Amino acid sequence: MTDQSRSTLIDKIAWIHLKDRRVLSTRSTGKDVYYLPGGKREAGESDLETLVREIHEELSVQIDASSVVHLGAFEAQAHGHSAGVTVRMTCYTAGYTGELTASNEIAEIIWLTMRDRERVSPVDKIIFDHLYERDLLRD
């Protein structure tokens, strides 16, 4: 498969975890912006399976599958990719068990507010706007 024939849509699943009107975010090793925790699905995975696997891999916690709620799907130019490559971020809220700990490629875990909007990827900016408009994210 050549670069030309690859899809220009990156399909990702993200966890929206809010606390005190701040949202949990992560920075991967070598990256210059923050991303909501989550990632790309593996072949044959459902959204729930991807969410559970990715959050466990990145943050060492177990998502409570019975508490998962779809928050929305958002699209924007993919950060760090050539023009025309879009990322679709399908977002879920959920409870969890365990202690949040950065693992695998995650270098940093941070709680962000609307003031941090310029520090996140383009699709995360749209998600921040969505959360802020619903009074879920503070200034």
Side-chain angles (χ1 to χ4, degrees), residues 62-82:
Q62 188 63 44
I63 291 293
D64 174 4
S66 68
S67 71
V68 173
V69 175
H70 182 257
L71 183 80
F74 307 87
E75 291 187 12
Q77 168 66 38
H79 180 260
H81 291 266
S82 59

Side-chain angles (χ1 to χ4, degrees), residues 102-122:
S103 66
N104 280 345
E105 75 274 10
I106 303 303
E108 181 181 5
I109 298 172
I110 190 169
W111 293 94
L112 301 177
T113 67
M114 194 62 174
R115 291 178 192 242
D116 300 302
R117 186 179 181 275
E118 295 308 312
R119 301 170 69 190
V120 302
S121 72

Side-chain angles (χ1 to χ4, degrees), residues 9-16 36-41 46-48 50-52 54-55 68-76 87-93 123-124 127:
L9 179 68
I10 300 170
D11 177 32
K12 295 183 92 174
I13 305 298
W15 182 37
I16 306 295
L36 294 168
K40 297 176 193 170
R41 81 178 73 239
S46 68
D47 285 9
L48 177 59
T50 304
L51 182 69
V52 168
E54 283 287 343
I55 299 310
V68 173
V69 175
H70 182 257
L71 183 80
F74 307 87
E75 291 187 12
V87 63
R88 177 187 300 132
M89 192 84 77
T90 304
C91 299
Y92 295 89
T93 61
V123 73
D124 285 14
I127 297 164

Side-chain angles (χ1 to χ4, degrees), residues 14-16 23-26 34-38 58 91 124 127-128:
W15 182 37
I16 306 295
V23 66
L24 181 70
S25 195
T26 60
Y34 292 95
Y35 298 89
L36 294 168
E58 293 184 357
C91 299
D124 285 14
I127 297 164
F128 272 45

